[in-house]
Amino acid sequence: TQLLEQSPQFLSIQEGENLTVYCNSSSVFSSLQWYRQEPGEGPVLLVTVVTGGEVKKLKRLTFQFGDARKDSSLHITAAQPGDTGLYLCAGINTNAGKSTFGDGTTLTVKP
Amino acid sequence: DAGVTQSPTHLIKTRGQQVTLRCSPKSGHDTVSWYQQALGQGPQFIFQYYEEEERQRGNFPDRFSGHQFPNYSSELNVNALLLGDSALYLCASSFSSQRSTDTQYFGPGTRLTVL
């Protein structure tokens, strides 16, 4: 069974601070996705990383896929209250055709 | 263009009852996956339907079954409900080529409460 561990589980910061959340596994994935989920809604895809060592930027968000394709990080610069939500990572094995999710990091950004 | 839609939004059942949840995929998508998300946890894969057949299944008992219709919509059925089945049930749709599955888009979910 492939497992994804996310850390920290909870993070509460002030507006303007920087933060990094992590997604780690002992398994290799074909690709890894990051989602953000707000209460009462389904997860919304933020990014997909495919190549080991890949770095993708989405405005203030920077995503990195580990060289061995087993881990990933999400860094947010100058966090804003609108960044508040549950951040989920999901590992994908193309042949398996399914996603394996971590339990997420709940981020609260206080104004 | 409508995204993934699910019905009902909320549902309350009692132990032992049966429930059917429905999902309409995003236009152009042919594959539907179902996930269970318990409070404080990430989504857990239940199963995936493609071409009206179950293509993949996660670690869920046979009480969980599904169906996909010719128009690609899907149903999730849960029999003999247990208290532990209380969760947010998410449907995700995607377009599958023969060799890979494209990005999946999630619906808003159905919140099931079992009393």
Side-chain angles (χ1 to χ4, degrees), chain A residues 9 33 35 37 40-45 48 86 88 92 94-104, chain B residues 33 35 37 40-45 48 55-58 88 90 99-101 103-104 106-109:
Chain A
Q9 185 177 0
Q33 296 179 323
Y35 292 82
Q37 184 177 22
E41 299 182 9
V44 176
L45 179 66
T48 301
L86 175 67
L88 294 160
I92 299 172
T94 303
N95 292 334
K98 66 176 184 178
S99 300
T100 301
F101 280 84
D103 285 338
Chain B
S33 301
Y35 292 82
Q37 186 176 22
Q41 296 183 14
Q44 298 296 310
F45 177 77
Q48 183 181 82
R55 181 162 71 171
Q56 290 285 337
R57 189 178 182 93
L88 179 68
L90 294 164
R99 296 169 59 185
S100 67
T101 301
T103 299
Q104 56 185 354
F106 283 85

mmCIF file of all heavy atoms in Angstrom, chain A residues 9 33 35 37 40-45 48 86 88 92 94-104, chain B residues 33 35 37 40-45 48 55-58 88 90 99-101 103-104 106-109:
data_model
loop_
_atom_site.group_PDB
_atom_site.id
_atom_site.type_symbol
_atom_site.label_atom_id
_atom_site.label_comp_id
_atom_site.label_asym_id
_atom_site.label_seq_id
_atom_site.Cartn_x
_atom_site.Cartn_y
_atom_site.Cartn_z
ATOM 1 N N GLN A 9 0.377 18.863 10.148
ATOM 2 C CA GLN A 9 -1.045 18.577 9.996
ATOM 3 C C GLN A 9 -1.846 19.879 10.049
ATOM 4 O O GLN A 9 -2.825 20.042 9.331
ATOM 5 C CB GLN A 9 -1.510 17.628 11.092
ATOM 6 C CG GLN A 9 -2.958 17.174 10.940
ATOM 7 C CD GLN A 9 -3.357 16.176 12.016
ATOM 8 O OE1 GLN A 9 -2.553 15.813 12.872
ATOM 9 N NE2 GLN A 9 -4.600 15.739 11.973
ATOM 10 N N GLN A 33 0.279 15.512 -7.472
ATOM 11 C CA GLN A 33 -0.577 16.674 -7.604
ATOM 12 C C GLN A 33 -0.806 17.319 -6.240
ATOM 13 O O GLN A 33 -0.819 16.637 -5.212
ATOM 14 C CB GLN A 33 -1.925 16.272 -8.216
ATOM 15 C CG GLN A 33 -1.800 15.735 -9.625
ATOM 16 C CD GLN A 33 -3.137 15.322 -10.208
ATOM 17 O OE1 GLN A 33 -3.993 14.804 -9.529
ATOM 18 N NE2 GLN A 33 -3.314 15.572 -11.499
ATOM 19 N N TYR A 35 -3.626 19.827 -4.316
ATOM 20 C CA TYR A 35 -4.988 20.357 -4.357
ATOM 21 C C TYR A 35 -5.201 21.278 -3.165
ATOM 22 O O TYR A 35 -4.571 21.133 -2.124
ATOM 23 C CB TYR A 35 -6.024 19.230 -4.245
ATOM 24 C CG TYR A 35 -6.108 18.279 -5.409
ATOM 25 C CD1 TYR A 35 -5.217 17.211 -5.537
ATOM 26 C CD2 TYR A 35 -7.109 18.411 -6.370
ATOM 27 C CE1 TYR A 35 -5.317 16.320 -6.590
ATOM 28 C CE2 TYR A 35 -7.224 17.522 -7.424
ATOM 29 C CZ TYR A 35 -6.323 16.483 -7.528
ATOM 30 O OH TYR A 35 -6.429 15.593 -8.571
ATOM 31 N N GLN A 37 -8.574 22.468 -0.826
ATOM 32 C CA GLN A 37 -9.983 22.160 -0.571
ATOM 33 C C GLN A 37 -10.509 23.109 0.489
ATOM 34 O O GLN A 37 -9.907 23.260 1.551
ATOM 35 C CB GLN A 37 -10.150 20.707 -0.111
ATOM 36 C CG GLN A 37 -11.591 20.290 0.082
ATOM 37 C CD GLN A 37 -11.719 18.823 0.476
ATOM 38 O OE1 GLN A 37 -10.774 18.225 0.983
ATOM 39 N NE2 GLN A 37 -12.878 18.241 0.234
ATOM 40 N N GLY A 40 -16.845 22.210 2.632
ATOM 41 C CA GLY A 40 -18.063 22.009 1.865
ATOM 42 C C GLY A 40 -17.861 21.898 0.374
ATOM 43 O O GLY A 40 -18.839 21.838 -0.377
ATOM 44 N N GLU A 41 -16.609 21.867 -0.054
ATOM 45 C CA GLU A 41 -16.332 21.775 -1.485
ATOM 46 C C GLU A 41 -15.377 20.626 -1.782
ATOM 47 O O GLU A 41 -14.718 20.096 -0.886
ATOM 48 C CB GLU A 41 -15.738 23.089 -1.992
ATOM 49 C CG GLU A 41 -16.666 24.285 -1.821
ATOM 50 C CD GLU A 41 -16.069 25.557 -2.383
ATOM 51 O OE1 GLU A 41 -15.020 25.484 -3.056
ATOM 52 O OE2 GLU A 41 -16.661 26.622 -2.144
ATOM 53 N N GLY A 42 -15.301 20.247 -3.050
ATOM 54 C CA GLY A 42 -14.337 19.241 -3.451
ATOM 55 C C GLY A 42 -12.964 19.846 -3.653
ATOM 56 O O GLY A 42 -12.828 21.065 -3.774
ATOM 57 N N PRO A 43 -11.926 19.030 -3.679
ATOM 58 C CA PRO A 43 -10.572 19.524 -3.913
ATOM 59 C C PRO A 43 -10.450 20.162 -5.296
ATOM 60 O O PRO A 43 -11.040 19.674 -6.266
ATOM 61 C CB PRO A 43 -9.712 18.261 -3.816
ATOM 62 C CG PRO A 43 -10.551 17.264 -3.095
ATOM 63 C CD PRO A 43 -11.957 17.569 -3.461
ATOM 64 N N VAL A 44 -9.653 21.216 -5.380
ATOM 65 C CA VAL A 44 -9.388 21.901 -6.647
ATOM 66 C C VAL A 44 -7.908 21.760 -6.963
ATOM 67 O O VAL A 44 -7.054 22.080 -6.130
ATOM 68 C CB VAL A 44 -9.772 23.390 -6.570
ATOM 69 C CG1 VAL A 44 -9.386 24.107 -7.859
ATOM 70 C CG2 VAL A 44 -11.268 23.540 -6.308
ATOM 71 N N LEU A 45 -7.615 21.266 -8.145
ATOM 72 C CA LEU A 45 -6.233 21.018 -8.537
ATOM 73 C C LEU A 45 -5.454 22.325 -8.672
ATOM 74 O O LEU A 45 -5.900 23.268 -9.329
ATOM 75 C CB LEU A 45 -6.198 20.265 -9.873
ATOM 76 C CG LEU A 45 -4.803 19.941 -10.425
ATOM 77 C CD1 LEU A 45 -4.102 18.942 -9.511
ATOM 78 C CD2 LEU A 45 -4.911 19.383 -11.835
ATOM 79 N N THR A 48 0.317 19.900 -11.170
ATOM 80 C CA THR A 48 0.814 18.535 -11.347
ATOM 81 C C THR A 48 2.304 18.606 -11.646
ATOM 82 O O THR A 48 2.718 19.363 -12.528
ATOM 83 C CB THR A 48 0.101 17.820 -12.511
ATOM 84 O OG1 THR A 48 -1.303 17.782 -12.262
ATOM 85 C CG2 THR A 48 0.616 16.393 -12.648
ATOM 86 N N LEU A 86 -7.464 23.541 3.159
ATOM 87 C CA LEU A 86 -6.817 22.243 3.330
ATOM 88 C C LEU A 86 -6.001 21.958 2.079
ATOM 89 O O LEU A 86 -6.554 21.928 0.970
ATOM 90 C CB LEU A 86 -7.870 21.151 3.546
ATOM 91 C CG LEU A 86 -7.358 19.711 3.627
ATOM 92 C CD1 LEU A 86 -6.519 19.514 4.888
ATOM 93 C CD2 LEU A 86 -8.531 18.729 3.624
ATOM 94 N N LEU A 88 -3.909 19.344 0.005
ATOM 95 C CA LEU A 88 -3.768 17.902 -0.156
ATOM 96 C C LEU A 88 -2.765 17.588 -1.250
ATOM 97 O O LEU A 88 -2.752 18.246 -2.290
ATOM 98 C CB LEU A 88 -5.106 17.278 -0.561
ATOM 99 C CG LEU A 88 -6.238 17.321 0.463
ATOM 100 C CD1 LEU A 88 -7.588 17.138 -0.232
ATOM 101 C CD2 LEU A 88 -6.059 16.254 1.518
ATOM 102 N N ILE A 92 0.202 9.796 -8.059
ATOM 103 C CA ILE A 92 -0.460 9.085 -9.147
ATOM 104 C C ILE A 92 0.512 8.095 -9.763
ATOM 105 O O ILE A 92 1.657 8.428 -10.050
ATOM 106 C CB ILE A 92 -0.933 10.057 -10.234
ATOM 107 C CG1 ILE A 92 -1.952 11.042 -9.649
ATOM 108 C CG2 ILE A 92 -1.534 9.303 -11.408
ATOM 109 C CD1 ILE A 92 -2.318 12.144 -10.584
ATOM 110 N N THR A 94 0.414 6.064 -13.148
ATOM 111 C CA THR A 94 -0.360 6.066 -14.381
ATOM 112 C C THR A 94 -0.984 4.704 -14.662
ATOM 113 O O THR A 94 -2.146 4.606 -15.013
ATOM 114 C CB THR A 94 0.513 6.483 -15.562
ATOM 115 O OG1 THR A 94 1.076 7.764 -15.290
ATOM 116 C CG2 THR A 94 -0.315 6.555 -16.824
ATOM 117 N N ASN A 95 -0.212 3.643 -14.484
ATOM 118 C CA ASN A 95 -0.736 2.314 -14.792
ATOM 119 C C ASN A 95 -1.872 1.916 -13.863
ATOM 120 O O ASN A 95 -2.766 1.167 -14.245
ATOM 121 C CB ASN A 95 0.382 1.274 -14.717
ATOM 122 C CG ASN A 95 1.396 1.461 -15.826
ATOM 123 O OD1 ASN A 95 1.083 1.996 -16.878
ATOM 124 N ND2 ASN A 95 2.624 1.027 -15.586
ATOM 125 N N ALA A 96 -1.834 2.395 -12.627
ATOM 126 C CA ALA A 96 -2.871 2.050 -11.661
ATOM 127 C C ALA A 96 -4.137 2.859 -11.899
ATOM 128 O O ALA A 96 -5.225 2.433 -11.519
ATOM 129 C CB ALA A 96 -2.372 2.270 -10.244
ATOM 130 N N GLY A 97 -3.997 4.023 -12.501
ATOM 131 C CA GLY A 97 -5.160 4.833 -12.830
ATOM 132 C C GLY A 97 -5.899 5.405 -11.647
ATOM 133 O O GLY A 97 -7.079 5.711 -11.747
ATOM 134 N N LYS A 98 -5.242 5.538 -10.517
ATOM 135 C CA LYS A 98 -5.916 6.119 -9.362
ATOM 136 C C LYS A 98 -4.950 7.016 -8.610
ATOM 137 O O LYS A 98 -3.742 6.944 -8.777
ATOM 138 C CB LYS A 98 -6.433 5.034 -8.426
ATOM 139 C CG LYS A 98 -5.341 4.217 -7.748
ATOM 140 C CD LYS A 98 -5.926 3.225 -6.758
ATOM 141 C CE LYS A 98 -4.821 2.496 -6.011
ATOM 142 N NZ LYS A 98 -5.358 1.555 -5.004
ATOM 143 N N SER A 99 -5.534 7.876 -7.759
ATOM 144 C CA SER A 99 -4.741 8.798 -6.952
ATOM 145 C C SER A 99 -4.728 8.325 -5.510
ATOM 146 O O SER A 99 -5.754 7.888 -4.995
ATOM 147 C CB SER A 99 -5.336 10.196 -7.015
ATOM 148 O OG SER A 99 -5.362 10.686 -8.334
ATOM 149 N N THR A 100 -3.581 8.456 -4.857
ATOM 150 C CA THR A 100 -3.443 8.176 -3.434
ATOM 151 C C THR A 100 -3.203 9.501 -2.735
ATOM 152 O O THR A 100 -2.222 10.176 -3.008
ATOM 153 C CB THR A 100 -2.256 7.230 -3.167
ATOM 154 O OG1 THR A 100 -2.476 6.010 -3.876
ATOM 155 C CG2 THR A 100 -2.133 6.938 -1.681
ATOM 156 N N PHE A 101 -4.115 9.865 -1.835
ATOM 157 C CA PHE A 101 -4.043 11.156 -1.171
ATOM 158 C C PHE A 101 -3.409 11.053 0.208
ATOM 159 O O PHE A 101 -3.553 10.042 0.910
ATOM 160 C CB PHE A 101 -5.460 11.715 -0.987
ATOM 161 C CG PHE A 101 -6.044 12.356 -2.217
ATOM 162 C CD1 PHE A 101 -6.665 11.588 -3.177
ATOM 163 C CD2 PHE A 101 -5.969 13.727 -2.392
ATOM 164 C CE1 PHE A 101 -7.198 12.176 -4.311
ATOM 165 C CE2 PHE A 101 -6.504 14.331 -3.518
ATOM 166 C CZ PHE A 101 -7.119 13.548 -4.483
ATOM 167 N N GLY A 102 -2.742 12.146 0.591
ATOM 168 C CA GLY A 102 -2.344 12.319 1.984
ATOM 169 C C GLY A 102 -3.529 12.866 2.763
ATOM 170 O O GLY A 102 -4.589 13.146 2.196
ATOM 171 N N ASP A 103 -3.346 13.044 4.075
ATOM 172 C CA ASP A 103 -4.428 13.550 4.921
ATOM 173 C C ASP A 103 -4.467 15.074 4.974
ATOM 174 O O ASP A 103 -5.339 15.653 5.612
ATOM 175 C CB ASP A 103 -4.324 12.987 6.334
ATOM 176 C CG ASP A 103 -4.769 11.539 6.398
ATOM 177 O OD1 ASP A 103 -5.526 11.122 5.491
ATOM 178 O OD2 ASP A 103 -4.368 10.826 7.328
ATOM 179 N N GLY A 104 -3.516 15.728 4.319
ATOM 180 C CA GLY A 104 -3.583 17.164 4.153
ATOM 181 C C GLY A 104 -2.965 17.984 5.258
ATOM 182 O O GLY A 104 -2.711 17.496 6.369
ATOM 183 N N SER B 33 -14.419 8.464 -10.963
ATOM 184 C CA SER B 33 -13.842 7.840 -9.766
ATOM 185 C C SER B 33 -14.605 8.326 -8.542
ATOM 186 O O SER B 33 -15.036 9.475 -8.499
ATOM 187 C CB SER B 33 -12.362 8.208 -9.614
ATOM 188 O OG SER B 33 -11.610 7.793 -10.731
ATOM 189 N N TYR B 35 -14.535 8.688 -4.256
ATOM 190 C CA TYR B 35 -13.662 8.748 -3.085
ATOM 191 C C TYR B 35 -14.516 8.972 -1.835
ATOM 192 O O TYR B 35 -15.559 9.627 -1.890
ATOM 193 C CB TYR B 35 -12.676 9.908 -3.192
ATOM 194 C CG TYR B 35 -11.628 9.765 -4.268
ATOM 195 C CD1 TYR B 35 -11.922 10.092 -5.587
ATOM 196 C CD2 TYR B 35 -10.355 9.315 -3.967
ATOM 197 C CE1 TYR B 35 -10.958 9.971 -6.579
ATOM 198 C CE2 TYR B 35 -9.380 9.203 -4.946
ATOM 199 C CZ TYR B 35 -9.693 9.532 -6.251
ATOM 200 O OH TYR B 35 -8.730 9.413 -7.224
ATOM 201 N N GLN B 37 -14.186 10.671 1.922
ATOM 202 C CA GLN B 37 -13.342 11.544 2.735
ATOM 203 C C GLN B 37 -13.950 11.690 4.120
ATOM 204 O O GLN B 37 -14.948 12.406 4.304
ATOM 205 C CB GLN B 37 -13.166 12.913 2.079
ATOM 206 C CG GLN B 37 -12.166 13.797 2.820
ATOM 207 C CD GLN B 37 -11.916 15.126 2.115
ATOM 208 O OE1 GLN B 37 -12.731 15.596 1.320
ATOM 209 N NE2 GLN B 37 -10.760 15.733 2.390
ATOM 210 N N GLY B 40 -11.359 15.170 8.695
ATOM 211 C CA GLY B 40 -9.963 15.293 9.089
ATOM 212 C C GLY B 40 -9.001 14.413 8.315
ATOM 213 O O GLY B 40 -7.822 14.333 8.670
ATOM 214 N N GLN B 41 -9.493 13.764 7.270
ATOM 215 C CA GLN B 41 -8.628 12.889 6.482
ATOM 216 C C GLN B 41 -8.670 13.274 5.004
ATOM 217 O O GLN B 41 -9.529 14.037 4.565
ATOM 218 C CB GLN B 41 -9.069 11.430 6.640
ATOM 219 C CG GLN B 41 -8.921 10.904 8.054
ATOM 220 C CD GLN B 41 -9.307 9.441 8.161
ATOM 221 O OE1 GLN B 41 -9.444 8.741 7.156
ATOM 222 N NE2 GLN B 41 -9.474 8.963 9.373
ATOM 223 N N GLY B 42 -7.736 12.726 4.255
ATOM 224 C CA GLY B 42 -7.745 12.916 2.818
ATOM 225 C C GLY B 42 -8.711 11.948 2.145
ATOM 226 O O GLY B 42 -9.155 10.969 2.760
ATOM 227 N N PRO B 43 -9.050 12.202 0.905
ATOM 228 C CA PRO B 43 -9.946 11.288 0.176
ATOM 229 C C PRO B 43 -9.323 9.901 0.019
ATOM 230 O O PRO B 43 -8.133 9.784 -0.262
ATOM 231 C CB PRO B 43 -10.107 11.976 -1.179
ATOM 232 C CG PRO B 43 -9.767 13.412 -0.939
ATOM 233 C CD PRO B 43 -8.715 13.394 0.120
ATOM 234 N N GLN B 44 -10.146 8.878 0.202
ATOM 235 C CA GLN B 44 -9.718 7.494 0.016
ATOM 236 C C GLN B 44 -10.427 6.936 -1.223
ATOM 237 O O GLN B 44 -11.650 7.015 -1.332
ATOM 238 C CB GLN B 44 -10.086 6.646 1.242
ATOM 239 C CG GLN B 44 -9.411 7.120 2.523
ATOM 240 C CD GLN B 44 -7.904 6.991 2.464
ATOM 241 O OE1 GLN B 44 -7.371 5.934 2.115
ATOM 242 N NE2 GLN B 44 -7.204 8.054 2.821
ATOM 243 N N PHE B 45 -9.652 6.351 -2.123
ATOM 244 C CA PHE B 45 -10.175 5.844 -3.393
ATOM 245 C C PHE B 45 -11.081 4.641 -3.158
ATOM 246 O O PHE B 45 -10.694 3.658 -2.517
ATOM 247 C CB PHE B 45 -8.998 5.455 -4.285
ATOM 248 C CG PHE B 45 -9.369 4.853 -5.595
ATOM 249 C CD1 PHE B 45 -9.824 5.639 -6.638
ATOM 250 C CD2 PHE B 45 -9.251 3.489 -5.803
ATOM 251 C CE1 PHE B 45 -10.150 5.086 -7.860
ATOM 252 C CE2 PHE B 45 -9.556 2.922 -7.023
ATOM 253 C CZ PHE B 45 -10.017 3.721 -8.059
ATOM 254 N N GLN B 48 -13.184 3.112 -9.605
ATOM 255 C CA GLN B 48 -13.210 3.916 -10.821
ATOM 256 C C GLN B 48 -13.983 3.164 -11.902
ATOM 257 O O GLN B 48 -13.824 1.948 -12.060
ATOM 258 C CB GLN B 48 -11.793 4.182 -11.315
ATOM 259 C CG GLN B 48 -11.707 5.069 -12.542
ATOM 260 C CD GLN B 48 -10.264 5.266 -12.992
ATOM 261 O OE1 GLN B 48 -9.697 4.433 -13.679
ATOM 262 N NE2 GLN B 48 -9.674 6.386 -12.585
ATOM 263 N N ARG B 55 -13.027 -0.382 -13.253
ATOM 264 C CA ARG B 55 -11.679 -0.606 -13.758
ATOM 265 C C ARG B 55 -10.673 -0.785 -12.624
ATOM 266 O O ARG B 55 -9.710 -1.535 -12.756
ATOM 267 C CB ARG B 55 -11.268 0.558 -14.648
ATOM 268 C CG ARG B 55 -9.879 0.408 -15.242
ATOM 269 C CD ARG B 55 -9.661 1.309 -16.435
ATOM 270 N NE ARG B 55 -9.550 2.710 -16.070
ATOM 271 C CZ ARG B 55 -9.193 3.654 -16.929
ATOM 272 N NH1 ARG B 55 -8.915 3.347 -18.172
ATOM 273 N NH2 ARG B 55 -9.137 4.912 -16.546
ATOM 274 N N GLN B 56 -10.866 -0.091 -11.548
ATOM 275 C CA GLN B 56 -9.970 -0.163 -10.394
ATOM 276 C C GLN B 56 -10.818 -0.121 -9.137
ATOM 277 O O GLN B 56 -11.882 0.490 -9.121
ATOM 278 C CB GLN B 56 -8.999 1.017 -10.381
ATOM 279 C CG GLN B 56 -7.948 0.998 -11.462
ATOM 280 C CD GLN B 56 -6.846 -0.002 -11.185
ATOM 281 O OE1 GLN B 56 -6.612 -0.374 -10.040
ATOM 282 N NE2 GLN B 56 -6.181 -0.469 -12.229
ATOM 283 N N ARG B 57 -10.325 -0.745 -8.068
ATOM 284 C CA ARG B 57 -11.056 -0.728 -6.807
ATOM 285 C C ARG B 57 -10.080 -0.550 -5.661
ATOM 286 O O ARG B 57 -9.000 -1.154 -5.651
ATOM 287 C CB ARG B 57 -11.857 -2.025 -6.618
ATOM 288 C CG ARG B 57 -12.801 -1.957 -5.434
ATOM 289 C CD ARG B 57 -13.627 -3.232 -5.293
ATOM 290 N NE ARG B 57 -14.549 -3.117 -4.182
ATOM 291 C CZ ARG B 57 -15.801 -2.686 -4.283
ATOM 292 N NH1 ARG B 57 -16.291 -2.362 -5.468
ATOM 293 N NH2 ARG B 57 -16.581 -2.584 -3.226
ATOM 294 N N GLY B 58 -10.454 0.273 -4.705
ATOM 295 C CA GLY B 58 -9.664 0.452 -3.501
ATOM 296 C C GLY B 58 -10.057 -0.560 -2.448
ATOM 297 O O GLY B 58 -10.789 -1.529 -2.722
ATOM 298 N N LEU B 88 -17.800 12.563 3.599
ATOM 299 C CA LEU B 88 -18.054 13.298 2.364
ATOM 300 C C LEU B 88 -17.679 12.370 1.214
ATOM 301 O O LEU B 88 -16.550 11.867 1.160
ATOM 302 C CB LEU B 88 -17.215 14.579 2.316
ATOM 303 C CG LEU B 88 -17.362 15.455 1.065
ATOM 304 C CD1 LEU B 88 -18.760 16.078 1.014
ATOM 305 C CD2 LEU B 88 -16.294 16.552 1.051
ATOM 306 N N LEU B 90 -16.927 11.980 -2.607
ATOM 307 C CA LEU B 90 -16.511 12.811 -3.727
ATOM 308 C C LEU B 90 -16.493 12.010 -5.015
ATOM 309 O O LEU B 90 -16.032 10.867 -5.041
ATOM 310 C CB LEU B 90 -15.106 13.365 -3.471
ATOM 311 C CG LEU B 90 -14.970 14.349 -2.311
ATOM 312 C CD1 LEU B 90 -13.513 14.500 -1.915
ATOM 313 C CD2 LEU B 90 -15.559 15.693 -2.681
ATOM 314 N N ARG B 99 -3.737 4.675 -22.408
ATOM 315 C CA ARG B 99 -2.540 4.444 -21.633
ATOM 316 C C ARG B 99 -2.429 5.294 -20.379
ATOM 317 O O ARG B 99 -1.609 5.051 -19.543
ATOM 318 C CB ARG B 99 -1.314 4.721 -22.508
ATOM 319 C CG ARG B 99 -1.197 3.787 -23.686
ATOM 320 C CD ARG B 99 -0.138 4.255 -24.662
ATOM 321 N NE ARG B 99 1.172 4.350 -24.017
ATOM 322 C CZ ARG B 99 2.251 4.822 -24.630
ATOM 323 N NH1 ARG B 99 2.168 5.262 -25.851
ATOM 324 N NH2 ARG B 99 3.411 4.856 -24.012
ATOM 325 N N SER B 100 -3.251 6.269 -20.246
ATOM 326 C CA SER B 100 -3.089 7.116 -19.064
ATOM 327 C C SER B 100 -4.403 7.794 -18.721
ATOM 328 O O SER B 100 -5.351 7.761 -19.497
ATOM 329 C CB SER B 100 -2.022 8.179 -19.306
ATOM 330 O OG SER B 100 -2.456 9.093 -20.292
ATOM 331 N N THR B 101 -4.454 8.344 -17.558
ATOM 332 C CA THR B 101 -5.642 9.074 -17.109
ATOM 333 C C THR B 101 -5.287 10.531 -16.952
ATOM 334 O O THR B 101 -4.347 10.877 -16.260
ATOM 335 C CB THR B 101 -6.147 8.512 -15.774
ATOM 336 O OG1 THR B 101 -6.460 7.138 -15.958
ATOM 337 C CG2 THR B 101 -7.359 9.252 -15.301
ATOM 338 N N THR B 103 -5.929 14.624 -15.976
ATOM 339 C CA THR B 103 -6.270 15.297 -14.741
ATOM 340 C C THR B 103 -7.733 15.079 -14.391
ATOM 341 O O THR B 103 -8.597 15.163 -15.258
ATOM 342 C CB THR B 103 -6.004 16.799 -14.888
ATOM 343 O OG1 THR B 103 -4.625 16.995 -15.165
ATOM 344 C CG2 THR B 103 -6.394 17.537 -13.621
ATOM 345 N N GLN B 104 -7.997 14.794 -13.120
ATOM 346 C CA GLN B 104 -9.371 14.598 -12.710
ATOM 347 C C GLN B 104 -9.911 15.851 -12.025
ATOM 348 O O GLN B 104 -9.181 16.562 -11.347
ATOM 349 C CB GLN B 104 -9.496 13.382 -11.792
ATOM 350 C CG GLN B 104 -8.622 13.402 -10.558
ATOM 351 C CD GLN B 104 -8.728 12.101 -9.779
ATOM 352 O OE1 GLN B 104 -9.529 11.218 -10.086
ATOM 353 N NE2 GLN B 104 -7.918 11.957 -8.762
ATOM 354 N N PHE B 106 -12.929 17.307 -9.478
ATOM 355 C CA PHE B 106 -13.801 16.852 -8.408
ATOM 356 C C PHE B 106 -15.109 17.637 -8.370
ATOM 357 O O PHE B 106 -15.138 18.836 -8.642
ATOM 358 C CB PHE B 106 -13.112 16.999 -7.051
ATOM 359 C CG PHE B 106 -12.094 15.938 -6.768
ATOM 360 C CD1 PHE B 106 -10.799 16.055 -7.224
ATOM 361 C CD2 PHE B 106 -12.452 14.796 -6.057
ATOM 362 C CE1 PHE B 106 -9.860 15.074 -6.970
ATOM 363 C CE2 PHE B 106 -11.514 13.803 -5.796
ATOM 364 C CZ PHE B 106 -10.220 13.944 -6.258
ATOM 365 N N GLY B 107 -16.170 16.940 -7.976
ATOM 366 C CA GLY B 107 -17.421 17.595 -7.662
ATOM 367 C C GLY B 107 -17.415 18.099 -6.235
ATOM 368 O O GLY B 107 -16.439 17.884 -5.499
ATOM 369 N N PRO B 108 -18.498 18.749 -5.816
ATOM 370 C CA PRO B 108 -18.564 19.323 -4.466
ATOM 371 C C PRO B 108 -18.800 18.293 -3.375
ATOM 372 O O PRO B 108 -18.620 18.585 -2.198
ATOM 373 C CB PRO B 108 -19.741 20.295 -4.550
ATOM 374 C CG PRO B 108 -20.599 19.717 -5.619
ATOM 375 C CD PRO B 108 -19.678 19.085 -6.604
ATOM 376 N N GLY B 109 -19.190 17.091 -3.771
ATOM 377 C CA GLY B 109 -19.378 16.037 -2.784
ATOM 378 C C GLY B 109 -20.797 15.917 -2.260
ATOM 379 O O GLY B 109 -21.620 16.832 -2.374
#
